[in-house]
Amino acid sequence: MNISEELGKIRRAFEAATEADFTAEELGKLRVAYLGRKGIVADLFDRIRDVPADERKEFGRVLNELKLFVTARIEEHEATMRSKKPKENVDVTLPGIVGFQGGLHPLTIILNEITDVFRGMGFTVETGPEAELISYNFDKLNTPFWHPARDLTDTFYLDTPARDKLLRTETSPVQIRVMERQKPPIRIIAPGRVYRSDKPDATHSPIFMQVEGLYVDKGVSFADLKGTVLAFYRGLFGPHVKTRFRPHFFPFTEPSAEVDMTCIFCKGSGCRLCKQSGWLEMGGSGMVDPNVFLGVGIDPEEYSGWAFGLGIERIAILKFGVDDIRLFYENDIRFLRQFG
Amino acid sequence: MKILYSWLIEYAPYQGTPQQLGDILTDIGLSVESLTQIGAEYHGVVVGKVITCEKVAGSDHLSLCTVDVGEGGILPIVCGAPNVAAGQTVAAAVPGAVLPGGFEITERKLRGVLSRGMICSERELGLSDQHKGILVLPEDCVLGTKVQQYLGGVDWLFDLEVTFNRPDCLCHIGVAREICAKLGLELRLSMPAERSATGIANQTSDWVTVTIEDGVRAPRYTARIVKGVTVGASPDWMQKRLKAVGIRPISNVVDVTNYVMMEMGHPLHAFDYHLVKDGKIVVRHASKGEKFTTLDNKEHKLSVDDLLIADSEKGIALAGVMGGLNSEIKETTKDVLIECAVFSPAGIRITSRDRGIQTESSRRFERGVDPEMTVAAATRAAELIHQLAGGEILEGVVDANPTPWKQLEIAIRSKRVNAVLATDLTTEQMRGYLGALSCKQSELASDKKTGDCTWKVYPPSWRRDLEREIDLIEEIIRMHGYNEVGMATTSRVVLEPDVQRERERHVTDAIKNALASLGLREAVCWSLISSGDAEAFKDGTEGAKVLNPLSDDLSRLRTSLAPGLLRAVERNINAGQHDIRLFEWGKCFYLKDSEIFEGLKLGIVLTGKIRPESYADKARALVLGDSRGIVEQFGDRMRLKAWSSKSNELPEYLAVGAGIKLGEDGTAAGVFGQIASETAMHFGIDIPVWYIEFDGEQLLRRAGESRRYIPLPRFPAATRDLAFFVDESIEAGEVANCLRRIDSAILESLDLFDVYAGKGIEPGKKSLAFHLSFRSNERTLADGEVDALITRMVKVAAESTGAELRSI
Ligand SMILES: [Zn+2]
């Protein structure tokens, strides 16, 4: 059988094979068999070199025609297949088959956002011990020995022979550790867990997370604090928010201020969530108290600085609308799944 | 701190609304936590006079009255009260009036008789529960005017957050002082002047002596006496005010002491003079074990740290904290000894804490009272007692003042003020603000060279929080307004990032992301656990305890992340979720040589199926290899170098598993395995659960080695499969290791693809099948070369593990 006859036979076989209806799978197989890289047509093209030189031209023409024919026919079949409903019972509404999805904890997600905004403003992330020396948590932060925060009812102390440690009540001791180690300019944030002896309920958790910001340099002013805090909240909640500063008292800052932000739910017009005030309480701040500087060997006449702290759960609660702080620590998959 | 609006504006001539006042208070640092209306709101109720009053025909209790309401004319009103009568002056709600609760008065017919209004009872006006009859007003009320001006209208109660440093604001005059300073108003004070001689021979000093044994704990003690009082109930207005600010009225004498405290901020105590033996007041330390019964009828065993007010033989009050039962004011009390003293905050804290007593008094002494106010407050109380309970005020006070108050002098520099605040306040503004806060100030001194102005500031006795220049700067900006300071938005310096910190942060993120990509959810557990969990979880370390735990649930610091994660597993299973894959990255704590150490750990917990079950196939349950798989994949993601694992001594909490070693030196860095059923059961879990723990500090140090490109292979690989029979006791890892040792240069990979024991295999044996791939970077490997290697491998495996070739 010469090669032209063979071509004819292949063509007839293909015609016969494509009379019938196909499933998508069968058609796919047919396409691979005829047009694939190692398919029948490719194989015939490889055999051109075996054809006598004078017949090659004609053979090439017929072969090309065959290729075009096969291609056209397969595409025609595909088109009909696409146009009519599949014959076999394929239920495309069956759910997708998936693996387990992992994800980050909502508090990590929020902390990452906070860190991003601060890093954008040139802050470095610092950490420090959670089982902290009493002196770093209180004395060096200018907390007088009679301050109620030191009470056994407010603070967890640790049972060691030296009785010199507690579970830190703020991330502020990190400020002290950094200032003792490093000369100004200093620009850090310190995120981490803090502990307070509060009975757990919907709004209190004995263990929660804070972020503390500290900026120390020559000529740092109250206006720098206000500007940075505003920039931070805008970074986190959008350019429309405003901040309000209210006088307050913290042992380690003076002047001290409580920071309020425009209520994100009512945009400041007053609602249930902001107790009709239009403001949400967001954190404490102030100018580093000169006594704190003296304790770490920084001259308060030469340098000044500000500190700012906020609760991460508070931000998460606002951003995600969570109504019970304990949910963050229960690790119910149905809860975690909603964020990560 | 509860502050009543009507009381407050007696001292501060403020003219705006309570709401506006609330904003001002918040702005100056007295945050308004709540502002609530007291007394019901109503309008359209006017003074009327009943002209006629006749029974309505066919009713046994209704009367038809004609009521003159002044400009509103004369209205017919049907009234059901039994006490209504012609000639009465009454509260008439005219049509359109709205009573408390929003009840609107309209014209209507009762028994066919038109009624154009209502005559109100006390209850209908929200004044009391009195509903037996209508309210009858005094006759001199002007017809047609609003009844509120005779009945007292609505009042407002502020709940203020007073910070610890501002005890001077724990009273109405203190808050009024702040308002006046901020708004430039004149404080209206009618402080009692020292009484002039009455001609009575009675002098306070004839009746009482005061001895202070510890002038540090009790810097001052002022006594004053009112004799011949009649103890009874205090008047309505005083009771109302006290109740509003949260104090229970007791008797006129006791109420006065509380009233003056709420007014002037200084706690007072009243003794029955005749129960003070010999008229002697001795302020002394208690003796060890001394028994004392406080007003609330509780007996306390005192220590030498407690300060007592005593008479010549016994204690009569726990100084500054609570009075004694033995000297309290009773109905029979005739003569009253008023105490107004100053006690040291630290001392009061000790007694308050050790005796477990907190009172309005201790709260104020703990924060510090005005040392210069004792005489004025005692005198004010004496005046009020005289007014309300009669009697005579003895002349003079006995005022022991062993540690007199010292006026502080603080230097202030105008340039410094503006530098800290980034303001351009003038010296006059600064002095104006400080002056408004009752600070005395020296003349200005200006330094010609620097252009700086300095002067001296003398804060008032009630502002003991003002000690330094920075404290004055805060006062200046508080008065000027925190929100008047601009916002600096450009930063002056660029700081070089701390490379080490940045790397740690980056690696931490990478670790968490790697685990999330392996289908694990991040958990955050409390780092305090119960003693039961701590003891049931045996990982061979000694944990640290909290000295003063809130409850046993939160009494131990975790030494491992497992207890928290296992509790999370339990909680999820109980909630009907059985496929649980969680990880946590956090601090753990342990005791070593009596010191607490803390370090980061990574914990992973797995239970349930290998993947979510679907209609297409059944998912198998997890096996040990899945936990090892997580370890391997995670190690690969984090570029953990040369990590390996080997069965070694497992912690008690694992039933089966292995240690994880990292680095060329093979430092132990963690474990993986199945939680022992005893441990799992303790945590309420009765299905297999796997746990992996890494030392986080080592991960931070070792993870994320910089990545280097490895050229893609240019020559083909030669692959072979090898199967062996080995004893059941031989670990697959052991066989694999000895195969690997032959020629690691061209052995590209070695994977176990089948483990089989059972049918068709000699008992006590198992079959292990490996897939091997060989490749060189320089040439195509010849078949013979590979075969020679295989032969050697088979030989070595046989020699060292007894492996018997099954097939190639
Ligand atoms: Zn709102």
Side-chain angles (χ1 to χ4, degrees):
Chain A
M1 186 166 61
N2 75 26
I3 198 150
S4 309
E5 280 170 13
E6 200 177 325
L7 277 185
K9 208 173 142 197
I10 287 168
R11 182 175 175 134
R12 280 191 298 281
F14 177 75
E15 278 173 333
T18 51
E19 293 284 291
D21 277 337
F22 295 104
T23 64
E25 201 186 344
E26 283 165 348
L27 192 64
K29 276 184 184 158
L30 203 68
R31 182 191 273 275
V32 173
Y34 280 88
L35 301 174
R37 202 158 55 86
K38 287 179 179 168
I40 294 168
V41 175
D43 182 49
L44 288 168
F45 273 107
D46 281 348
R47 281 164 59 190
I48 284 187
R49 57 172 181 255
D50 303 336
V51 175
D54 54 335
E55 288 173 32
R56 266 187 208 162
K57 198 176 167 198
E58 174 62 8
F59 178 79
R61 190 187 60 79
V62 177
L63 185 52
N64 261 324
E65 214 177 81
L66 176 68
K67 184 181 176 184
L68 288 174
F69 173 73
V70 169
T71 311
R73 193 71 182 256
I74 287 178
E75 277 169 5
E76 196 179 304
H77 269 275
E78 269 176 350
T80 9
M81 191 171 293
R82 258 184 256 118
S83 69
K84 66 180 179 190
K85 280 201 153 194
K87 237 181 94 192
E88 67 274 32
N89 259 341
V90 175
D91 184 353
V92 294
T93 65
L94 285 175
I97 296 166
V98 296
F100 287 117
Q101 182 89 289
L104 300 182
H105 192 277
L107 293 177
T108 299
I109 295 169
I110 293 295
L111 179 58
N112 286 347
E113 283 185 35
I114 292 171
T115 309
D116 280 353
V117 176
F118 271 116
R119 289 186 69 245
M121 297 192 283
F123 285 75
T124 298
V125 179
E126 285 282 350
T127 55
E130 292 172 26
E132 181 58 278
L133 288 164
I134 294 171
S135 58
Y136 278 78
N137 195 79
F138 289 133
D139 307 63
K140 287 172 187 251
L141 286 163
N142 197 36
T143 312
F145 72 94
W146 44 261
H147 195 279
R150 289 179 178 249
D151 271 11
L152 287 165
T153 52
D154 286 25
T155 298
F156 293 122
Y157 289 86
L158 292 171
D159 188 3
T160 62
R163 292 284 157 90
D164 58 348
K165 281 189 173 174
L166 45 65
L167 290 170
R168 66 179 179 193
T169 59
E170 330 243 5
T171 41
S172 315
V174 182
Q175 286 182 23
I176 303 295
R177 291 183 175 274
V178 173
M179 287 193 285
E180 281 182 343
R181 193 178 65 216
Q182 193 182 322
K183 271 177 66 73
I186 294 168
R187 197 152 54 197
I188 57 145
I189 58 165
R193 289 181 188 220
V194 299
Y195 303 75
R196 290 186 198 165
S197 195
D198 284 327
K199 277 221 162 55
D201 63 25
T203 53
H204 295 90
S205 171
I207 300 163
F208 59 100
M209 295 194 197
Q210 270 193 340
V211 183
E212 183 104 358
L214 173 74
Y215 178 27
V216 181
D217 201 355
K218 286 179 182 157
V220 173
S221 75
F222 194 57
D224 292 308
L225 165 64
K226 290 186 65 179
T228 313
V229 168
L230 177 67
F232 167 69
Y233 279 120
R234 291 197 165 161
L236 210 57
F237 288 98
H240 58 278
V241 300
K242 293 191 180 72
T243 48
R244 172 175 86 166
F245 285 70
R246 283 184 286 115
H248 204 78
F249 172 67
F250 304 110
F252 37 91
T253 53
E254 181 104 6
S256 301
E258 194 84 67
V259 182
D260 294 342
M261 181 185 77
T262 322
C263 175
I264 52 170
F265 304 103
C266 63
K267 307 270 184 284
S269 60
C271 68
R272 186 179 58 81
L273 292 151
C274 59
K275 291 193 213 152
Q276 307 305 330
S277 69
W279 297 98
L280 295 170
E281 207 172 303
M282 298 304 288
S285 68
M287 302 302 291
V288 179
D289 194 289
N291 285 349
V292 173
F293 279 141
L294 289 173
V296 294
I298 291 177
D299 180 1
E301 287 291 312
E302 189 181 356
Y303 291 101
S304 55
W306 58 250
F308 163 55
L310 72 152
I312 296 174
E313 285 85 350
R314 170 92 178 134
I315 306 280
I317 282 171
L318 290 175
K319 282 216 151 189
F320 297 135
V322 175
D323 56 5
D324 189 330
I325 193 171
R326 289 169 294 193
L327 286 167
F328 291 116
Y329 295 92
E330 282 173 1
N331 302 302
D332 189 312
I333 292 172
R334 296 166 300 179
F335 175 77
L336 298 177
R337 202 165 34 222
Q338 298 178 30
F339 309 97
Chain B
M1 175 69 204
K2 293 202 165 65
I3 294 286
L4 200 59
Y5 181 68
S6 59
W7 194 352
L8 183 67
I9 57 174
E10 271 180 24
Y11 315 110
Y14 169 75
Q15 307 240 311
T17 65
Q19 286 71 19
Q20 288 166 335
L21 185 61
D23 291 344
I24 293 164
L25 288 170
T26 297
D27 269 352
I28 56 176
L30 291 164
S31 263
V32 178
E33 296 197 324
S34 68
L35 173 56
T36 34
Q37 189 178 309
I38 301 187
E41 196 171 13
Y42 57 89
H43 48 85
V45 183
V46 297
V47 177
K49 193 168 185 85
V50 182
I51 303 170
T52 60
C53 177
E54 286 158 18
K55 287 277 173 216
V56 173
S59 164
D60 55 352
H61 67 285
L62 292 181
S63 311
L64 171 62
C65 307
T66 49
V67 181
D68 182 355
V69 293
E71 278 181 20
I74 296 175
L75 303 175
I77 297 175
V78 174
C79 180
N83 67 332
V84 66
Q88 285 172 334
T89 304
V90 296
V94 301
V98 179
L99 297 189
F103 178 56
E104 201 181 327
I105 302 297
T106 51
E107 286 189 8
R108 57 186 184 140
K109 280 191 172 169
L110 290 155
R111 302 259 166 159
V113 182
L114 178 72
S115 179
R116 296 183 58 199
M118 187 171 101
I119 301 176
C120 303
S121 69
E122 285 192 18
R123 192 171 79 181
E124 282 153 354
L125 294 178
L127 296 172
S128 74
D129 289 339
Q130 179 59 252
H131 196 51
K132 287 208 188 93
I134 57 159
L135 169 66
V136 180
L137 297 168
E139 286 195 5
D140 55 356
C141 298
V142 180
L143 294 191
T145 55
K146 290 179 181 171
V147 295
Q148 274 96 336
Q149 56 180 311
Y150 304 104
L151 298 175
V154 172
D155 204 345
W156 295 84
L157 188 68
F158 290 97
D159 195 354
L160 301 182
E161 184 194 359
V162 177
T163 51
F164 203 83
N165 59 331
R166 294 302 305 275
D168 61 299
C169 288
L170 292 173
C171 64
H172 286 74
I173 288 179
V175 174
R177 212 152 38 199
E178 288 284 294
I179 294 166
C180 291
K182 176 72 182 178
L183 301 178
L185 303 172
E186 182 119 13
L187 188 68
R188 281 197 299 226
L189 278 192
S190 48
M191 281 300 112
E194 180 53 25
R195 282 175 77 79
S196 54
T198 54
I200 297 167
N202 280 317
Q203 290 268 344
T204 306
S205 53
D206 296 338
W207 286 48
V208 61
T209 59
V210 175
T211 313
I212 295 176
E213 291 185 358
D214 182 342
V216 175
R217 289 284 295 266
R220 189 166 189 178
Y221 193 104
T222 304
R224 175 131 224 171
I225 286 171
V226 184
K227 78 180 190 73
V229 302
T230 311
V231 175
S234 57
D236 219 35
W237 63 267
M238 183 176 274
Q239 294 205 12
K240 262 190 189 160
R241 283 190 168 181
L242 290 176
K243 277 190 217 159
V245 299
I247 289 180
R248 189 168 57 90
I250 293 167
S251 68
N252 46 14
V253 172
V254 176
D255 291 357
V256 164
T257 59
N258 284 327
Y259 186 84
V260 174
M261 174 171 69
M262 287 301 165
E263 181 183 45
M264 302 172 77
H266 208 117
L268 298 127
H269 186 66
F271 296 101
D272 183 326
Y273 175 76
H274 293 287
L275 300 175
V276 179
K277 174 94 172 158
D278 301 331
K280 269 191 171 169
I281 294 286
V282 182
V283 186
R284 62 163 171 88
H285 288 260
S287 45
K288 189 165 182 280
E290 185 168 352
K291 283 183 181 156
F292 182 73
T293 306
T294 41
L295 273 175
D296 52 359
N297 209 1
K298 283 196 183 117
E299 193 184 70
H300 299 271
K301 233 170 127 185
L302 306 181
S303 82
V304 290
D305 286 335
D306 293 312
L307 196 67
L308 268 181
I309 310 300
D311 59 17
S312 56
E313 57 184 22
K314 62 185 183 297
I316 52 173
L318 210 44
V321 177
M322 197 182 266
L325 193 62
N326 58 13
S327 55
E328 72 169 336
I329 301 290
K330 295 204 243 342
E331 272 178 41
T332 53
T333 300
K334 287 290 160 230
D335 303 329
V336 177
L337 168 62
I338 302 165
E339 163 198 297
C340 189
V342 178
F343 300 111
S344 86
I348 296 294
R349 286 197 67 75
I350 292 171
T351 297
S352 173
R353 184 194 63 204
D354 291 356
R355 302 299 142 239
I357 313 174
Q358 283 203 319
T359 57
E360 289 287 344
S361 170
S362 69
R363 200 173 139 220
R364 285 171 176 77
F365 283 120
E366 269 173 20
R367 290 163 170 78
V369 295
D370 179 358
E372 293 294 279
M373 209 207 283
T374 57
V375 175
T379 304
R380 167 75 172 152
E383 297 274 5
L384 275 171
I385 291 173
H386 168 68
Q387 254 178 48
L388 306 181
E392 273 174 56
I393 303 171
L394 297 199
E395 201 166 310
V397 291
V398 170
D399 183 16
N401 193 5
T403 318
W405 172 67
K406 283 196 210 71
Q407 171 81 64
L408 270 184
E409 180 185 276
I410 309 166
I412 184 167
R413 299 160 293 173
S414 62
K415 269 200 167 170
R416 180 70 179 176
V417 175
N418 281 326
V420 171
L421 300 174
T423 48
D424 46 11
L425 298 173
T426 63
T427 314
E428 285 64 41
Q429 280 176 298
M430 298 175 194
R431 288 170 67 88
Y433 291 138
L434 294 172
L437 289 164
S438 313
C439 291
K440 295 195 180 70
Q441 298 174 75
S442 73
E443 291 303 306
L444 279 180
S446 43
D447 186 326
K448 289 219 175 66
K449 252 194 286 174
T450 59
D452 203 357
C453 276
T454 63
W455 69 99
K456 304 279 197 312
V457 179
Y458 307 92
S461 56
W462 58 85
R463 291 301 305 274
R464 300 217 276 180
D465 58 315
L466 305 184
E467 296 176 318
R468 303 165 299 163
E469 185 186 37
I470 192 74
D471 301 326
L472 300 176
I473 294 176
E474 182 177 61
E475 290 307 294
I476 290 169
I477 193 57
R478 207 166 59 81
M479 286 296 117
H480 183 65
Y482 272 35
N483 296 307
E484 298 301 310
V485 177
M487 309 253 186
T489 48
T490 52
S491 155
R492 282 177 296 268
V493 286
V494 169
L495 298 184
E496 210 177 302
D498 180 325
V499 177
Q500 176 61 19
R501 308 284 156 197
E502 283 297 292
R503 186 184 169 277
E504 276 177 19
R505 190 193 54 77
H506 179 78
V507 172
T508 306
D509 279 358
I511 287 171
K512 290 186 177 183
N513 288 331
L515 294 164
S517 77
L518 292 171
L520 298 156
R521 291 204 174 271
E522 186 186 10
V524 175
C525 304
W526 279 346
S527 23
L528 290 170
I529 60 174
S530 71
S531 60
D533 285 1
E535 273 147 31
F537 185 81
K538 298 186 182 79
D539 65 351
T541 58
E542 192 190 348
K545 293 175 190 170
V546 174
L547 203 56
N548 55 330
L550 199 57
S551 65
D552 180 68
D553 280 357
L554 300 168
S555 61
R556 303 291 187 88
L557 278 166
R558 62 185 181 190
T559 57
S560 159
L561 299 168
L565 288 170
L566 291 172
R567 285 290 172 205
V569 168
E570 180 199 24
R571 211 172 289 124
N572 275 296
I573 290 174
N574 290 343
Q577 294 146 127
H578 300 280
D579 296 324
I580 302 153
R581 302 158 65 88
L582 295 172
F583 77 90
E584 182 175 13
W585 172 258
K587 289 262 179 84
C588 291
F589 307 79
Y590 61 96
L591 269 178
K592 200 175 153 194
D593 304 327
S594 313
E595 259 298 316
I596 294 182
F597 291 86
E598 64 183 79
L600 283 161
K601 282 192 179 181
L602 167 64
I604 299 169
V605 71
L606 309 164
T607 187
K609 299 264 184 341
I610 180 70
R611 64 171 176 276
E613 220 148 58
S614 79
Y615 54 87
D617 59 353
K618 285 260 174 279
R620 67 169 171 80
L622 289 170
V623 297
L624 182 70
D626 294 311
S627 62
R628 185 175 166 128
I630 296 269
V631 175
E632 291 180 358
Q633 277 184 287
F634 173 69
D636 193 40
R637 267 292 290 269
M638 297 316 299
R639 302 290 186 276
L640 292 173
K641 262 195 184 162
W643 74 276
S644 65
S645 73
K646 187 162 171 31
S647 298
N648 58 355
E649 283 170 25
L650 280 179
E652 244 180 272
Y653 68 86
L654 288 182
V656 289
I660 301 167
K661 297 191 172 187
L662 290 182
E664 312 293 350
D665 49 350
T667 316
V671 288
F672 73 91
Q674 184 175 349
I675 296 282
S677 59
E678 193 192 344
T679 307
M681 295 286 272
H682 170 85
F683 289 91
I685 305 166
D686 53 7
I687 55 173
V689 51
W690 286 270
Y691 183 68
I692 303 161
E693 189 163 90
F694 276 99
D695 174 345
E697 308 292 338
Q698 288 210 47
L699 288 184
L700 281 185
R701 218 167 31 245
R702 296 178 191 270
E705 290 289 322
S706 60
R707 290 145 200 234
R708 286 196 62 84
Y709 156 75
I710 299 161
L712 300 180
R714 289 189 295 140
F715 299 97
T719 60
R720 298 284 191 280
D721 288 345
L722 265 180
F724 297 100
F725 291 118
V726 290
D727 279 353
E728 264 175 353
S729 62
I730 302 287
E731 289 183 345
E734 208 178 320
V735 180
N737 279 342
C738 75
L739 297 179
R740 274 199 195 94
R741 269 198 299 273
I742 301 301
D743 191 344
S744 56
I746 65 165
L747 176 63
E748 186 180 49
S749 67
L750 179 148
D751 300 303
L752 179 76
F753 72 90
D754 188 46
V755 184
Y756 178 73
K759 208 173 158 201
I761 292 191
E762 189 184 327
K765 297 263 182 192
K766 64 182 172 188
S767 156
L768 299 173
F770 297 91
H771 183 77
L772 296 90
S773 168
F774 302 89
R775 197 195 297 269
S776 159
N777 288 332
E778 284 115 34
R779 64 209 148 79
T780 303
L781 295 170
D783 281 349
E785 195 178 354
V786 175
D787 292 340
L789 258 178
I790 291 285
T791 311
R792 272 171 57 209
M793 283 180 166
V794 171
K795 191 162 166 246
V796 171
E799 281 162 6
S800 48
T801 68
E804 179 192 335
L805 187 67
R806 183 185 179 194
S807 66
I808 296 184

